[in-house]
Amino acid sequence: RLRGFMQPFEQAGSLDIYPASTCARVVASGGCGAELPVSNNVPAVDPEQACQDALDAELVVHRAHPLNCETSIPALLGGVVMPNAHFYVRNHFQIPSLDADALRLSVGGLVDRPLSLSLNDIRSMKSQTLFVTLECAGNGRSLFDPVIEGERWNFGAVSTAEWTGVPLTEVLDQAGVQAGAKEVLFTGADGGTIDDGGHPIRFERSLQLDQARNAEVLLAYTMNGETLPLQHGYPLRVIVPGWYAVASVKWLTDIRLIDRSFKGHYQTQKYWYEWERDGGIVREPVTLQHVRALVTDPAPNQEVNPGRFTIRGVAWSGAAPIARVEVRVGDGSWQEARLVSERKRHSWQWWELITRLEAAADTDEPAKTTIRARAFDLAGRSQPEHAEWNRFGYGNNGIHSVSVKVI
């Protein structure tokens, strides 16, 4: 009966129903019958407190343990960066609680000089600051039909921050990369088991050596001018500009140069596009962010007055800066919006369009109209009408539309 009653609310977002409890820790773990996931014996942040902090920051919590929450669309509006407390959070395991003073970043494998670097050692190196937009590869998964298993992200699993850290190339050069190295493997402190009875693993991802040598890949320790927050990888994380955020490993503890393609769970079993085509399965790894535009103002189903009206939004792409954004109101023609902020290579782009909205003729009833936005980047990429359905629900960059009522 309860599920029947709540069904209309599912039209507005994802919905999970758990047995009631007065203990937030039990609810955070997924209900009275669920056990907390197995950790990898690294001290972890209290999941109840992490969830409460996210709620206090008005994030949209999809899962409390591990904590996964997105930024609300209204919170996206306006700033060059997203304040740390409002930046979306994506986790696969518990949030580790690490002692920065005890941290030693191990750099080994196929190197001439293995390193063990303290945070002070890293901070004393040449630093770089970049504005980078991070986006979860599953952003927009809730819009795919049929429904796909996984976090039911709407549009808010994306945020931008100013990151400061050491270029990865500085560390690689100090260690000395040997001739046989093909990939750079990054290991985070977060870990646990994937399936019941499975062996514990750490979160790991790799980059090909030429990708890792990109001068803009950072080992970041500062976010928006502040110490990196716990939920965003404190005390050290990787930032890979332009790539979906799975590549930006948090709570970094180890860098290893290897002579083969890494075959870890989050490298080969997840974070691949999988399509059924011509009777077979086609696979492609998740790498660069797709080009995308969102309407942030007006809000869905907002009541607006006829006449002069301003539409605002944000756009981004992993391949190149945004070239232009086009907006369509109702059945009208596509109009080019004005790009508000300066173009940045790896940061989102604000835009706006001043137009007119017409009320319905000869009636006092609101006229419902749809506002749609699409982006184009300088690499020549554009958004499809609808993104192609794929098994894991990655990379949904179908054209965003918002319906409003003209009264």
Side-chain angles (χ1 to χ4, degrees):
R1 290 197 301 270
L2 178 59
R3 288 193 178 277
F5 174 78
M6 296 297 289
Q7 189 172 7
F9 295 94
E10 291 184 314
Q11 305 304 312
S14 59
L15 173 68
D16 289 313
I17 299 175
Y18 298 123
S21 171
T22 57
C23 176
R25 187 185 304 276
V26 173
V27 176
S29 68
C32 297
E35 297 181 357
L36 289 174
V38 177
S39 71
N40 62 339
N41 297 320
V42 174
V45 173
D46 179 2
E48 179 180 347
Q49 185 60 53
C51 180
Q52 187 59 54
D53 291 344
L55 292 171
D56 291 343
E58 299 182 348
L59 291 169
V60 180
V61 176
H62 288 280
R63 188 184 303 270
H65 194 93
L67 182 64
N68 286 299
C69 41
E70 65 180 281
T71 307
S72 65
I73 294 297
L76 290 175
L77 182 62
V80 175
V81 300
M82 181 63 61
N84 292 353
H86 300 289
F87 201 103
Y88 86 96
V89 177
R90 172 64 170 119
N91 293 310
H92 295 86
F93 303 107
Q94 296 184 61
I95 299 175
S97 179
L98 303 181
D99 181 358
D101 293 334
L103 174 73
R104 306 298 297 187
L105 175 64
S106 173
V107 184
L110 297 177
V111 297
D112 296 326
R113 296 170 293 277
L115 305 176
S116 179
L117 302 172
S118 69
L119 191 60
N120 285 336
D121 292 333
I122 295 168
R123 285 180 172 272
S124 68
M125 296 181 185
K126 174 185 174 182
S127 67
Q128 185 176 4
T129 298
L130 294 173
F131 290 92
V132 176
T133 297
L134 294 185
E135 180 185 15
C136 176
N139 196 26
R141 180 181 288 128
S142 64
L143 281 300
F144 278 119
D145 186 21
V147 172
I148 297 171
E149 183 179 351
E151 301 298 342
R152 301 281 291 158
W153 300 111
N154 191 28
F155 296 110
V158 59
S159 301
T160 297
E162 180 189 57
W163 309 92
T164 298
V166 175
L168 176 61
T169 53
E170 292 286 318
V171 174
L172 295 182
D173 289 344
Q174 185 170 328
V177 178
Q178 295 181 359
K182 293 183 178 179
E183 291 193 355
V184 181
L185 176 61
F186 304 98
T187 301
D190 54 326
T193 57
I194 302 299
D195 302 307
D196 292 340
H199 296 292
I201 65 170
R202 302 271 289 278
F203 188 85
E204 295 179 299
R205 287 278 301 190
S206 72
L207 292 174
Q208 294 177 9
L209 184 57
D210 60 340
Q211 297 165 342
R213 281 198 175 279
N214 184 316
E216 294 180 318
V217 176
L218 290 182
L219 305 182
Y221 45 76
T222 298
M223 180 179 179
N224 291 330
E226 302 175 359
T227 299
L228 200 63
L230 274 173
Q231 68 270 30
H232 296 297
Y234 174 86
L236 192 67
R237 75 172 297 175
V238 183
I239 296 294
V240 184
W243 284 50
Y244 282 109
V246 64
S248 296
V249 175
K250 296 189 282 188
W251 307 292
L252 182 67
T253 61
D254 295 273
I255 297 175
R256 189 170 183 83
L257 280 293
I258 58 178
D259 60 359
R260 61 197 179 280
S261 296
F262 177 58
K263 302 296 183 183
H265 177 81
Y266 293 106
Q267 190 84 19
T268 58
Q269 297 182 49
K270 290 293 183 72
Y271 294 99
W272 280 72
Y273 300 106
E274 287 192 11
W275 304 282
E276 291 186 17
R277 294 176 182 168
D278 301 324
I281 301 297
V282 177
R283 302 184 83 228
E284 179 182 309
V286 170
T287 55
L288 292 178
Q289 300 163 349
H290 290 167
V291 60
R292 190 173 199 173
L294 291 181
V295 177
T296 57
D297 185 29
N301 298 314
Q302 182 175 328
E303 294 185 347
V304 299
N305 294 321
R308 184 182 172 92
F309 188 75
T310 302
I311 301 168
R312 297 182 176 89
V314 65
W316 66 92
S317 172
I322 295 298
R324 70 182 190 278
V325 174
E326 296 178 348
V327 180
R328 187 180 187 184
V329 179
D331 295 327
S333 59
W334 288 97
Q335 306 174 65
E336 186 168 347
R338 182 177 73 91
L339 302 184
V340 176
S341 55
E342 65 174 297
R343 288 189 177 96
K344 291 186 174 67
R345 175 66 180 85
H346 299 298
S347 178
W348 57 21
Q349 177 79 54
W350 290 100
W351 55 266
E352 68 177 19
L353 175 71
I354 299 175
T355 186
R356 293 189 63 82
L357 297 180
E358 302 297 334
D362 303 323
T363 179
D364 291 332
E365 293 298 318
K368 197 165 188 178
T369 192
T370 300
I371 297 169
R372 307 171 73 220
R374 64 186 184 188
F376 302 77
D377 66 23
L378 290 175
R381 303 194 308 171
S382 60
Q383 292 182 247
E385 183 74 20
H386 301 286
E388 185 177 3
W389 191 96
N390 62 90
R391 177 187 172 194
F392 295 113
Y394 297 137
N396 187 350
N397 68 330
I399 293 175
H400 185 214
S401 63
V402 171
S403 294
V404 296
K405 298 175 182 177
V406 186
I407 59 173

